[in-house]
């Protein structure tokens, strides 16, 4: 049994705590927040093995530049002279190739499928319901151009063994009998699933407490004591703590924390917004993505959550209501009979996606510091990939064979 310190209590830190505690370790989880808000709660909750293409892909930069000039668009990079952002942008550009997508797709698929099977296990084993449903995902499009792109994605998914079905507008409508849908067509991925993320998050914390995991909320890790290539102590704003192994799961803050360890970990926060209609009389049945608007829509019980936008603007918590307006205005285009008004600013949730420049997470040990393991950078897929990541972290600590090859996730690939 080892003494493990996990820095960061988002879904990735919690999943790591879950599998490490199960493996018999003594786990302490430290977080600067009160563990009641953050990127892992208000997201769209989709578990999407269908998402094989990382953010860094051909065509993304051209699309991004077009979107930058529209204040309601789903993507925005705040122009600023910042060395970290410039380096991140350069690495993003270098990785936006077909070759990168081909390699990344294999790694993302494996981690996604591992995670989905672990969600199936968790849904059976955990003593609470977290809204896990396997109803698939509908990708909805309205234009010929998007239809062409999405059909290519479907073809790629099928070639990778991920089932994708091309549907006509009528076939989409048959899957959603309660809500009028206005589309040119859609692609259905029957193997995808979804959860209610805040239900998993809050109940998993309560469960881990009963299992003996120690939580230190409102505790900020500010520095480290390093000697002989090992972390001897974690320095927080409250106390100094010593562990055998340290897991860094600090999401969008990871680049800043890694700097204290003299590690180069390119990371940008990708801010997104969501709002939730608490009770919808005629709800959709299958989580869906409005492709042209880049809006994710997820039914969670009687409620319905809309989420979207990606603003690369540093660790910034301001809410840009213009982009929320962009999400609201997209709804009647796809669901013409659904009346949704602009929510109050206070009702808009935001989260910071931890974005690596190649769209792949950082998972595994570093060579520089022997008792440090990274688990971060999951970008748009943190919910989808968290259980698999947690399992891999526990296997790494135990020195067990890993469930998959993690070479693509090497935390020192940009060192
Ligand atoms: C609008 C939106 C929709 C999304 N939809 C989906 C979806 O449908 N499916 C999907 O798979 N993913 C989705 N995501 C992405 C997903 O939410 C993230 O990838 C995931 O939550 C990241 O989890 P994390 O644990 O890595 O980071 P976080 O949840 O951000 O956790 C990191 C934690 O580290 C703590 N921390 C940081 N620095 C320190 C420090 N110095 N000391 C102590 N603590 C520290 C922070 O307080 C934080 O709690 C969505 C995101 C957004 C914004």
């Amino acid at each position: 049994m080892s003494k493990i310190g996990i820095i960061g209590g988002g879904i990735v830190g919690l999943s790591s705590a879950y599998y490490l505690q199960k493996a018999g370790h003594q786990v302490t989880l430290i977080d600067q927040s009160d563990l009641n808000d953050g990127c892992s709660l208000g997201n769209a909750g989709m578990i999407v093995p269908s998402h094989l293409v990382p953010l860094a892909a051909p065509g993304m930069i051209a699309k991004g530049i077009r979107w930058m000039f529209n204040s309601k668009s789903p993507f925005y990079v705040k122009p600023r002279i910042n060395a970290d952002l410039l380096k991140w942008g350069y690495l993003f550009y270098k990785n936006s190739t077909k070759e990168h997508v081909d390699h990344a797709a294999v790694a993302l698929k494996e981690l996604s499928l591992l995670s989905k099977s672990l969600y199936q296990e968790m849904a059976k084993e955990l003593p609470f319901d977290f809204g896990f449903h396997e109803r698939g995902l509908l990708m909805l499009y309205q234009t010929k151009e998007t239809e062409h792109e999405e059909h290519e994605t479907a073809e790629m998914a099928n070639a990778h063994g991920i089932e994708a079905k091309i549907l006509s507008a009528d076939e989409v409508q048959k899957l959603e009998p309660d809500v009028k849908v206005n589309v040119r067509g859609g692609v259905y991925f029957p193997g995808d699933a979804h959860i209610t993320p805040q239900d998993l998050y809050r109940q998993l914390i309560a469960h881990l407490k009963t299992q003996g995991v120690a939580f230190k909320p409102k505790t900020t890790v500010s520095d480290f004591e390093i000697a002989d290539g090992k972390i001897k102590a974690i320095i927080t704003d409250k106390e100094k703590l010593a562990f055998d192994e340290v897991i860094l799961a600090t999401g969008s803050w990871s680049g800043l924390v890694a700097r204290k360890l003299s590690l180069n970990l390119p990371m940008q926060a990708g801010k997104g917004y969501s709002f939730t209609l608490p009770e919808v009389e005629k709800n959709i049945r299958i989580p869906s993505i409005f492709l042209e608007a880049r809006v994710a829509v997820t039914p969670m019980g009687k409620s319905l959550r809309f989420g979207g936008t990606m603003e690369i603007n540093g660790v910034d918590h301001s809410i840009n209501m213009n982009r929320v307006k962009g999400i609201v205005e997209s709804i009647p285009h796809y669901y013409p009979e659904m009346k949704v008004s602009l929510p109050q600013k206070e009702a808009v949730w935001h989260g910071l996606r931890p974005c690596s420049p190649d769209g792949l997470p950082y998972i595994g040990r570093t060579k520089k510091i022997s008792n440090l393991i990274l688990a971060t950078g999951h970008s748009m897929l943190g919910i989808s990939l968290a259980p698999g990541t947690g399992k891999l972290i526990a296997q790494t600590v135990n020195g067990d064979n890993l469930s998959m090859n993690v070479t693509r996730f090497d935390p020192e690939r940009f060192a």
Side-chain angles (χ1 to χ4, degrees):
M1 183 189 76
S2 299
K3 267 179 83 181
I4 316 277
I6 301 178
I7 313 173
I11 193 62
V12 174
L14 288 182
S15 300
S16 303
Y18 177 63
Y19 289 105
L20 285 163
Q21 186 282 325
K22 269 184 137 193
H25 299 289
Q26 189 187 326
V27 181
T28 301
L29 191 143
I30 306 155
D31 200 289
Q32 63 194 6
S33 75
D34 62 0
L35 295 169
N36 208 21
D37 194 7
C39 198
S40 298
L41 287 95
N43 58 72
M46 295 177 178
I47 297 163
V48 280
S50 62
H51 279 43
L52 298 175
V53 180
L55 192 58
M60 258 316 283
I61 290 182
K63 256 189 204 158
I65 291 170
R66 251 185 288 147
W67 276 327
M68 290 246 325
F69 298 100
N70 175 352
S71 69
K72 291 181 192 162
S73 76
F75 184 76
Y76 178 72
V77 181
K78 184 167 186 189
R80 64 209 141 99
I81 306 289
N82 171 292
D84 287 344
L85 176 63
L86 291 174
K87 187 165 177 222
W88 187 93
Y90 173 68
L91 291 169
F92 185 95
Y93 161 75
K94 258 185 62 180
N95 280 287
S96 296
T97 64
K98 183 179 176 307
E99 197 194 0
H100 170 64
V101 171
D102 289 345
H103 291 305
V106 175
L108 285 177
K109 180 184 94 174
E110 243 189 288
L111 186 52
S112 260
L113 290 177
L114 172 65
S115 294
K116 194 186 129 185
S117 71
L118 294 171
Y119 271 121
Q120 287 166 333
E121 252 177 51
M122 285 163 85
K124 281 193 206 120
E125 283 175 15
L126 285 170
F128 55 84
D129 175 16
F130 54 94
F132 176 68
H133 296 289
E134 296 184 73
R135 296 193 202 138
L137 173 72
L138 270 172
M139 304 295 277
L140 305 176
Y141 48 78
Q142 297 187 317
T143 66
K144 207 171 173 180
E145 189 191 347
T146 315
E147 175 180 60
H148 176 72
E149 278 173 15
E150 195 54 23
H151 287 192
E152 277 185 358
T153 306
E155 211 174 284
M156 176 179 170
N158 280 319
H160 280 273
I162 301 282
E163 190 183 359
K165 293 180 184 166
I166 293 174
L167 304 182
S168 66
D170 284 348
E171 287 168 323
V172 169
Q173 190 62 73
K174 277 203 188 101
L175 288 177
E176 289 297 358
D178 299 325
V179 173
K180 172 113 185 81
V181 186
N182 173 37
V183 287
R184 182 179 175 91
V187 171
Y188 180 51
F189 290 98
D192 285 359
H194 70 283
I195 59 168
T196 304
Q198 69 275 22
D199 287 359
L200 175 62
Y201 187 86
R202 295 198 173 112
Q203 295 180 101
L204 188 54
I205 290 179
H207 173 73
L208 289 173
K209 283 182 181 166
T210 67
Q211 302 301 302
V213 173
F215 282 81
K216 289 185 180 290
K218 298 188 189 164
T219 305
T220 302
V221 173
S222 54
D223 214 340
F224 299 88
E225 268 180 26
I226 300 173
D228 307 323
K230 278 185 96 166
I231 297 177
K232 297 286 179 203
I234 292 178
I235 299 165
T236 77
D237 55 349
K238 295 199 172 120
E239 58 190 325
K240 211 191 245 189
L241 299 160
F243 299 102
D244 301 318
E245 304 263 14
V246 175
I247 318 296
L248 196 80
T250 40
S252 291
W253 294 260
S254 300
L256 302 171
V257 181
R259 196 167 289 156
K260 303 270 180 200
L261 294 157
S262 305
L263 293 174
N264 174 29
L265 201 75
M267 185 78 77
Q268 287 292 321
K271 187 169 52 184
Y273 304 111
S274 79
F275 56 89
T276 308
L277 308 180
E279 199 154 326
V280 177
E281 205 186 310
K282 291 185 174 178
N283 210 342
I284 58 165
R285 300 183 180 194
I286 301 172
S288 297
I289 292 183
F290 303 162
L291 279 164
E292 288 83 5
R294 302 259 160 171
V295 168
V297 196
T298 313
M300 298 177 183
K302 286 188 172 159
S303 70
L304 184 60
R305 178 166 296 166
F306 295 90
T309 81
M310 171 78 96
E311 280 178 26
I312 307 281
N313 189 15
V315 171
D316 163 63
H317 296 283
S318 60
I319 306 258
N320 179 340
M321 285 306 281
N322 243 344
R323 285 189 208 284
V324 180
K325 219 170 173 186
I327 299 177
V328 172
E329 287 176 2
S330 73
I331 301 169
H333 292 292
Y334 294 82
Y335 302 149
E337 289 173 2
M338 198 177 278
K339 303 278 171 266
V340 179
S341 42
L342 185 67
Q344 294 290 313
K345 200 169 186 177
E346 305 71 58
V348 176
W349 171 90
H350 77 282
L352 302 176
R353 303 175 185 90
C355 299
S356 67
D358 60 358
L360 295 178
Y362 300 108
I363 303 172
R365 282 195 191 280
T366 64
K367 288 186 204 84
K368 274 192 193 152
I369 300 170
S370 62
N371 62 342
L372 172 71
I373 303 172
L374 278 94
T376 185
H378 294 72
S379 190
M380 311 175 301
L381 296 173
I383 297 298
S384 302
L385 306 178
T389 302
K391 185 91 177 177
L392 289 167
I393 296 302
Q395 290 168 339
T396 304
V397 168
N398 294 340
D400 295 342
N401 287 335
L402 299 185
S403 300
M404 64 173 285
N405 181 335
V406 294
T407 315
R408 294 267 158 212
F409 306 144
D410 179 2
E412 285 166 313
R413 61 188 181 274
F414 301 116

